[in-house]
Structure formats: C-alpha cells, structure tokens
Amino acid sequence: MSWSARQYSLFERQRTRPVHDVLAAVPREGIELAVDLGCGLGNSTAVLQAHVPKARVIAIDSSADMLRAARERLPQVTFQLMDIQHWQAEHAPQLILANASLQWLPDHARLYPRLLAQLAPGGWLAIQTPDNLQEPAHRLAREVAADGPWAAQICEVRHTERHSAQAYYDILSTQASELDIWRTTYFHVLENAAAVVEWFKSTALLPFLQPLEAEQQAAFLERYQAAIAEAYPAQADGRVLLPFPRLFLVARR
C-alpha cells in the first residue's frame, strides 16, 4: 500500500500514546541495540530512543514517504527501507518494538516466535496491535465495500485476522521466559464524525480506497461517512468519542 506521512500525522499524539504504554513494561537497562519494526513517521522511534537513551536504535519501514519524515525528525537514528515481514537481524538486539505494524502481516503463529528467537538471550519483544476489526469503523468499511458500484473491486478486501490474547499466549508461552499480555480500550476525543473518517483514511481504509479511481473514492467516503455519523453519535459538546481497543504483548526471551 501507499502510505501518507501527512495523513498519518493528523492524529500522531493519539497514535503515540500506546508506545509509551507498551514500553513501560520493558526495563530501561541492559539494552544496547533496539529495533523499531514498522517505525512510520518515527514517533514510536522517538519514544523508544527516550526509553533506552544509551542504546543504538535501528528503525525499519516499507514506506519511503514515512521514512523521509522520520529521518528529518531523528537524524541520529539508522533508518532502513524494507518490508518488515522479511526482516532478519544482523546482530541480535536486546529489544524489538513493533507498534501498530504487525497487524498488517500474516501468520502470526510463525512470525512472533521468529521475532522472539532473533533477540539476544534475555531480550524483550514489545508488540502493540489494534484489536478493532469488529468495531463499527471496520465493520462499516466492509459493508460499504460490498454494497456499491465498486463491489467487484473491493468487496473481498479483508484485513489480516488477529488472534485472541489466549492464542498469543499459546504461541509464545513455551519459548518466552516471561510473558505479559493485556488489552486496553482508548476513547479518543475527536472533533466530529468526519474526523473518524480522517483517522482511518491513513490506515484501515487504504486497502479499500487505493484500488478505486478518484471519483469512486469520493463516493465511497461519502457513503462511509454517513454510516460513521450514525455509529459514532456526537456527545453533548458536539465532539465524538472513538473507542479504540488495542492488544499489548511483552515477551522476554
């Protein structure tokens, strides 16, 4: 997919908060090399570097547009353009961070253990993924995709299925010396329903929008926003609350 650094940055503060929460479960000491898998704009990388200021940090992303913004923000960090699905550590890090990136990749039953195995002994794997495929924003995107002149192009679009906390526990418990899993629902305060649409235009809606021509995109978004306005009604002050569940996993090799 083609990622837009500008669009993603519209809600950078809200998107960055989970990075603080997952790294709070990782010790600061003993980290010499840390890797940020799917670093995006570098907002997660900045939090990572602040968490382990003595460590060498390598940040990886598949989007050149994202990496341009990240390099401007953090010129001292080593950034690499590559598909994180095929990343292989040259030197074993003590910490691998993946903030809202692994949900785009398939086969977590193999991926997560492979990442854990690349750590130095005693190293930490810290993962945060959205856990919102059954939330209205996702469900309505699928419904709009299946009910319109674009249906033949995008009705089969599906995001990679995510596992339950129990499944992730079974995937990693036999290989991790420590394992901590939790789920948090953030209630993001947005200006209106249109802001909900803008939020997802940079992530979940991309697979639906990118196959369409500009006119189709506009029609899709118009129908989607009407549905979103019903699903996320305004509060007394006119603003909208966006419930956003996220799953956290911290494993130690």
Side-chain angles (χ1 to χ4, degrees), residues 131-140 142 183 232 243-245:
D131 194 21
N132 60 345
L133 290 183
Q134 301 309 315
E135 291 293 305
H138 273 269
R139 176 176 49 78
L140 292 172
R142 296 190 293 267
R183 189 177 192 262
Y232 297 91
F244 202 119

Side-chain angles (χ1 to χ4, degrees), residues 1 3 8 15 18-19 35-41 43-44 59-62 66 82-85 87 96-106 108 111-112 115 125-131 159-160 162 168 203 244 246-247:
M1 295 185 297
W3 297 87
Y8 191 87
R15 296 186 192 279
V19 190
V35 177
D36 186 2
L37 283 182
C39 64
L41 295 170
N43 55 312
S44 57
I60 299 164
D61 203 89
S62 61
M66 290 288 199
M82 69 172 63
D83 184 347
I84 63 174
Q85 183 173 0
W87 173 79
I96 297 174
L97 169 68
N99 180 65
S101 58
L102 299 187
Q103 74 273 11
W104 298 103
L105 303 184
H108 287 185
L111 175 64
Y112 282 32
L115 292 176
L125 177 62
I127 299 171
Q128 179 274 125
T129 50
D131 194 21
H159 290 273
T160 301
R162 296 152 209 178
Y168 284 117
T203 53
F244 202 119
R246 295 179 182 271
L247 189 68

Side-chain angles (χ1 to χ4, degrees), residues 23-251:
L23 286 177
V26 178
R28 296 175 179 269
E29 302 301 322
I31 309 296
E32 298 178 1
L33 175 61
V35 177
D36 186 2
L37 283 182
C39 64
L41 295 170
N43 55 312
S44 57
T45 315
V47 179
L48 174 60
Q49 187 171 62
H51 188 75
V52 288
K54 298 179 181 178
R56 180 191 174 207
V57 175
I58 299 174
I60 299 164
D61 203 89
S62 61
S63 167
D65 189 50
M66 290 288 199
L67 287 181
R68 276 192 293 270
R71 288 190 177 103
E72 290 179 4
R73 178 194 303 234
L74 299 166
Q76 72 277 23
V77 171
T78 300
F79 289 97
Q80 298 177 357
L81 178 65
M82 69 172 63
D83 184 347
I84 63 174
Q85 183 173 0
H86 304 296
W87 173 79
Q88 182 72 34
E90 294 182 14
H91 305 283
Q94 287 77 33
L95 173 56
I96 297 174
L97 169 68
N99 180 65
S101 58
L102 299 187
Q103 74 273 11
W104 298 103
L105 303 184
D107 200 2
H108 287 185
R110 292 188 181 186
L111 175 64
Y112 282 32
R114 183 172 68 81
L115 292 176
L116 186 68
Q118 294 192 58
L119 289 164
W124 298 87
L125 177 62
I127 299 171
Q128 179 274 125
T129 50
D131 194 21
N132 60 345
L133 290 183
Q134 301 309 315
E135 291 293 305
H138 273 269
R139 176 176 49 78
L140 292 172
R142 296 190 293 267
E143 291 178 4
V144 173
D147 183 26
W150 42 71
Q153 295 166 266
I154 59 174
C155 69
E156 298 299 325
V157 169
R158 292 293 183 271
H159 290 273
T160 301
E161 195 62 40
R162 296 152 209 178
H163 299 301
S164 65
Q166 292 83 353
Y168 284 117
Y169 179 87
D170 289 339
I171 288 169
L172 286 174
S173 60
T174 60
Q175 301 179 50
S177 62
E178 298 179 33
L179 186 56
D180 190 9
I181 305 174
W182 70 98
R183 189 177 192 262
T184 298
T185 298
Y186 300 87
F187 287 83
H188 298 297
V189 180
L190 303 183
E191 286 303 312
N192 47 40
V196 177
V197 178
E198 290 300 314
W199 178 296
F200 288 103
K201 276 172 64 177
S202 65
T203 53
L205 291 180
L206 286 178
F208 297 99
L209 294 175
Q210 290 188 350
L212 304 180
E213 299 295 333
E215 290 186 3
Q216 287 182 309
Q217 289 183 2
F220 179 97
L221 288 172
E222 182 179 3
R223 189 176 299 186
Y224 179 71
Q225 182 165 323
I228 287 292
E230 292 188 18
Y232 297 91
Q235 300 296 121
D237 64 356
R239 295 178 180 175
V240 166
L241 288 179
L242 172 63
F244 202 119
R246 295 179 182 271
L247 189 68
F248 295 80
L249 184 153
V250 174

